[in-house]
Amino acid sequence: MQVQTPAAAGPVLSLDGIVKTFPGVRALDGVRLELHAGQVTALIGENGAGKSTIVKLLTGIHQPDEGRIMVDGRPVTFPTAQAAGQAGVTAIHQETVLFDEMTVAENIFIGHAPRTRLGLIDRRTMRDRARAILQGIGADLDPDARLRDLGIASKHLVAIARALSIDARVVIMDEPTAALSHKEIAELYELVEKLKRQGKAILFISHKFDEIFRIADRWTVFRDGQFVGEGMMADVTEADLVRMMVGRSVDQIYPKRPAQIGPPVLTVAGYCHPTEFEDITFTLHRGEILGFYGLVGAGRSEVMQALFGITQPSKGACRIAGDVRVIRTTAQAVDAGIVYVPEDRGRQGAVKGLPIFQNVTLPSLSRTSRGGFLRLAEEFKLSRDYTQRLDLRAASLDQDIALLSGGNQQKVVIAKWLATRPRVIILDEPTKGIDIGSKAAVHDFMSELAAEGLAVIMVSSEIPEVLGMSDRVIVMREGRIAAEFTGRDMTPENLVRAAVGIDRPARGEAA
Ligand SMILES: Nc1ncnc2c1ncn2[C@@H]1O[C@H](COP(=O)(O)OP(=O)(O)OP(=O)(O)O)[C@@H](O)[C@H]1O
Ligand SMILES: [Mg+2]
C-alpha cells in the first residue's frame, strides 16, 4: 500500500488572486500564497508590503475583495475569527489583544473556555490545560498570575499559548520573536520544530534573515502588495531575497560617520533602583553614539525609563550639560532635552486615532505654533521632512497612524522624538520590526544627527547594529554595568562574554 506523504498531498491552505484595498491603498494586489503540512513558509517583504494584511484575511478580521482562499483545495470563507479557528487556522499576531486585568489562563481561553456540564466555566480544567500548553512551549508562568504583572516577553508567551489552545492545522506567526529574549527565541524555534513534526503548516513572518534561514523551508516574497516569487529556502541566498523584496540590492555596511565627540552632555552617577538596577554610572558626550548591549532583562530599558522620568531612581544623580537635574516626570526630561523612543512603541509611542503628521508634531508644538495658533503648514513640513528621512511608507500624512503597518508606525514614533531636536535621544531597539531597506535609512539619519552634535544612546540586542553604529559600548548584566568597550575591543566575543558573565581569558592564556 502506498502512503501519500503530506508534501505530495498539495498545500493545506492556499490563496490565489487575492486583492484587498483600503481607502487610498491597494494593500494586496492579486497575490498568491501556499502553506504546506509540516513545513514553514516565510513571508518576506518590506514594511507595508501586505504581510499582516494576509494574516488578517486568514483570521477573519478582514475579507478579501477578490480572490480565493482554499483549505485542502476547497474554497472557504472566514467571515469571523471563530470561523477561521473552526477551519483550523490560528495566529500569533504582531499585536494580540490581551487583557491586563485577567489571569494568564483566562487570557489563553478567552472565547473558548472549557465548560462544566452546567455550562459554567470549568476553572480547574482551564487552569490545567493552560499549564500544559505553557509547559509545552517552555513558558514558566503561573496560570493564575494577572497579566498586568507580567513583562512584555511573558505576555507574548501568553499570546502564543492562546493561539495553540485551538487545535490548529495552520499556525501563523507574525514577527513572533520581536519581543523575546535569546532564551525564549531558542524555545520558540523548538516549538516551531515541534509543530512541524505534528504536521502543522506554518506561516512565519519576520524581518530577521538569520531566523528565516534557520527555520523556514519555503519562502514567498511580496513587494508593494504584489507577489514577487516563491520557492524553497535551499535554493536562495539572502541577497536574492533582499533584492526581490526591496527591488534593488541593499548595502549592509553600517553608515556610521566619524563623529566629532564633544564635551559631556549627560552624566549619570550611581543611579539605583530598588529592584531593577544598581550603581549605573556613565557619561555621554555630544556627537557620540553610545551602545547599550545586554541580554533582554539585563535592565537596560529600565535604566532608560528612569532617565526619562517614567520611573524614579532610588539613589543617584544626573547632570545635563553640567547642571544637576532632578527628573521625576517625562515633562522634566523633555524640558532638559532628553527624549526616549521606547521599545514597545505600539503602546508607549503612537497615539492611535490621530493623523500621522500630528503624531510627529505632538511634542514639538512649541516649534510650530505661534501666538497660540498651530501652523498647519509648518506641522506638515516638519512631519514630511522627518518621515521622509526615515523612509516612511504611507498613503498620506493625514492618515490615522493606526492604519499604518507595524514597521511604519515605529518610524513615525522615531520621527516624533527626533523632531523635538533634543540634546540626548535614547533609542530602545530602534530597528526592531523595521525592514532591511528602511533600517539603513534609520541608521543613516541617526548617524547624521550625531554628526550634528546630538548625543545618542542606542539600546540594542543586535550585535551587528551595536558594533556597526556605536562609538562606545556599555554592556549590562543583571542590572549592573558589566563592561565597557571602545575601538578594537568592540568585538562580538567581548560583548557576549560580558553579557552572559563569562570572564575574559587572561592575556596569553590558551583558548
Ligand atoms: N485598516 C487599514 N486601513 C487603511 N490602510 C491599511 C489598513 N490596514 C493596513 N493598511 C495599509 O496596507 C498596507 C499593508 O500593511 P500591512 O500591515 O499588511 O504591512 P506589513 O507587510 O505587515 O508591514 P510591517 O512589516 O511594517 O508589519 C500598508 O500600506 C498599510 O498602511
Ligand atoms: Mg506587519
Side-chain angles (χ1 to χ4, degrees):
M1 194 181 90
Q2 269 218 318
V3 179
Q4 217 182 15
T5 63
V12 175
L13 186 139
S14 61
L15 294 150
D16 194 22
I18 295 287
V19 173
K20 178 68 189 171
T21 45
F22 296 111
V25 191
R26 206 168 174 85
L28 294 170
D29 192 5
V31 297
R32 52 173 277 124
L33 177 68
E34 283 186 357
L35 304 180
H36 294 258
Q39 298 194 343
V40 175
T41 302
L43 180 55
I44 304 165
E46 291 179 292
N47 296 132
K51 305 179 298 295
S52 296
T53 303
I54 282 284
V55 177
K56 288 174 185 159
L57 296 180
L58 289 179
T59 51
I61 297 170
H62 290 316
Q63 301 305 311
D65 303 337
E66 285 173 39
R68 288 195 300 178
I69 303 176
M70 282 170 290
V71 173
D72 295 328
R74 279 186 292 275
V76 291
T77 56
F78 298 142
T80 60
Q82 280 77 6
Q86 274 156 15
V89 180
T90 192
I92 298 164
H93 284 285
Q94 231 167 357
E95 290 178 32
T96 301
V97 180
L98 296 171
F99 299 90
D100 268 354
E101 295 310 313
M102 293 166 108
T103 66
V104 168
E106 285 164 348
N107 268 285
I108 293 173
F109 286 102
I110 283 171
H112 58 279
R115 305 253 165 198
T116 62
R117 262 183 295 168
L118 295 175
L120 302 172
I121 290 183
D122 181 351
R123 299 212 154 261
R124 177 180 303 179
T125 306
M126 186 165 90
R127 209 177 288 137
D128 290 346
R129 282 180 50 197
R131 190 171 287 121
I133 296 167
L134 290 166
Q135 270 167 6
I137 60 173
D140 184 20
L141 294 175
D142 176 4
D144 290 324
R146 294 256 157 221
L147 214 71
R148 81 169 111 80
D149 298 326
L150 305 182
I152 304 181
S154 302
K155 285 183 182 170
H156 206 81
L157 292 170
V158 174
I160 292 173
R162 176 189 309 173
L164 296 178
S165 67
I166 296 167
D167 188 24
R169 296 178 64 201
V170 175
V171 179
I172 301 170
M173 300 186 178
D174 195 350
E175 299 189 42
T177 62
L180 303 184
S181 68
H182 297 276
K183 179 166 160 277
E184 290 157 344
I185 289 173
E187 284 164 2
L188 185 92
Y189 294 159
E190 265 172 43
L191 170 70
V192 170
E193 288 300 327
K194 204 183 284 178
L195 296 174
K196 269 172 72 165
R197 284 197 297 275
Q198 293 168 6
K200 298 196 195 300
I202 299 165
L203 176 62
F204 192 85
I205 298 175
S206 172
H207 289 293
K208 301 184 202 163
F209 282 95
D210 53 345
E211 73 183 20
I212 290 170
F213 275 92
R214 177 167 170 170
I215 69 167
D217 303 290
R218 302 172 162 262
W219 56 270
T220 295
V221 174
F222 287 179
R223 183 165 74 233
D224 290 335
Q226 294 188 334
F227 173 85
V228 178
E230 65 188 354
M232 303 301 292
M233 289 305 300
D235 304 332
V236 282
T237 64
E238 180 174 330
D240 295 335
L241 292 174
V242 170
R243 217 172 304 117
M244 283 186 272
M245 70 181 265
V246 188
R248 60 183 160 88
S249 54
V250 171
D251 204 354
Q252 292 218 50
I253 296 166
Y254 285 87
K256 175 78 176 99
R257 300 170 196 195
Q260 192 73 42
I261 308 242
V265 179
L266 171 71
T267 309
V268 178
Y271 253 44
C272 294
H273 183 281
T275 54
E276 305 297 340
F277 52 82
E278 239 185 294
D279 197 20
I280 301 297
T281 299
F282 69 92
T283 302
L284 173 72
H285 304 83
R286 218 179 111 85
E288 184 177 39
I289 300 181
L290 174 59
F292 265 74
Y293 181 73
L295 302 182
V296 174
R300 294 169 299 161
S301 298
E302 287 74 12
V303 170
M304 303 311 154
Q305 283 162 12
L307 289 174
F308 190 52
I310 296 173
T311 59
Q312 273 89 50
S314 53
K315 237 168 61 184
C318 141
R319 282 172 181 274
I320 293 161
D323 302 325
V324 175
R325 290 275 195 152
V326 177
I327 294 175
R328 306 218 146 265
T329 64
T330 58
Q332 286 169 341
V334 172
D335 195 47
I338 299 185
V339 300
Y340 173 59
V341 183
E343 181 182 11
D344 184 8
R345 287 178 272 263
R347 207 171 282 187
Q348 300 175 18
V351 183
K352 307 228 161 126
L354 273 192
I356 297 166
F357 80 94
Q358 284 184 357
N359 261 285
V360 175
T361 53
L362 208 56
S364 316
L365 287 183
S366 58
R367 273 176 67 208
T368 51
S369 57
R370 301 272 150 64
F373 291 102
L374 295 186
R375 303 258 298 242
L376 267 187
E378 279 197 39
E379 271 197 61
F380 241 92
K381 184 173 175 309
L382 186 69
S383 343
R384 207 183 40 234
D385 288 352
Y386 277 79
T387 52
Q388 266 176 3
R389 299 294 301 276
L390 295 172
D391 203 11
L392 181 79
R393 306 287 171 84
S396 111
L397 294 180
D398 282 325
Q399 225 187 0
D400 181 343
I401 191 171
L403 305 182
L404 288 180
S405 77
N408 281 307
Q409 290 187 17
Q410 297 183 21
K411 293 177 205 167
V412 174
V413 176
I414 295 175
K416 148 173 134 175
W417 289 115
L418 286 174
T420 63
R421 302 223 157 216
R423 279 194 185 118
V424 174
I425 187 158
I426 304 169
L427 296 162
D428 202 340
E429 305 285 357
T431 60
K432 199 176 76 180
I434 288 185
D435 73 58
I436 195 161
S438 308
K439 244 178 172 171
V442 173
H443 288 144
D444 206 23
F445 199 18
M446 207 164 117
S447 181
E448 187 178 323
L449 291 170
E452 287 169 12
L454 180 68
V456 181
I457 292 178
M458 182 184 70
V459 175
S460 171
S461 303
E462 270 189 60
I463 288 186
E465 178 172 74
V466 174
L467 295 179
M469 293 306 297
S470 312
D471 297 294
R472 186 157 58 100
V473 180
I474 286 177
V475 180
M476 280 187 67
R477 180 176 73 243
E478 291 170 11
R480 290 169 169 274
I481 292 181
E484 186 182 315
F485 300 104
T486 49
R488 292 172 56 164
D489 288 335
M490 286 171 41
T491 64
E493 295 74 38
N494 281 345
L495 261 55
V496 170
R497 281 172 173 274
V500 299
I502 305 170
D503 289 329
R504 231 175 342 161
R507 233 175 259 278
E509 199 181 278

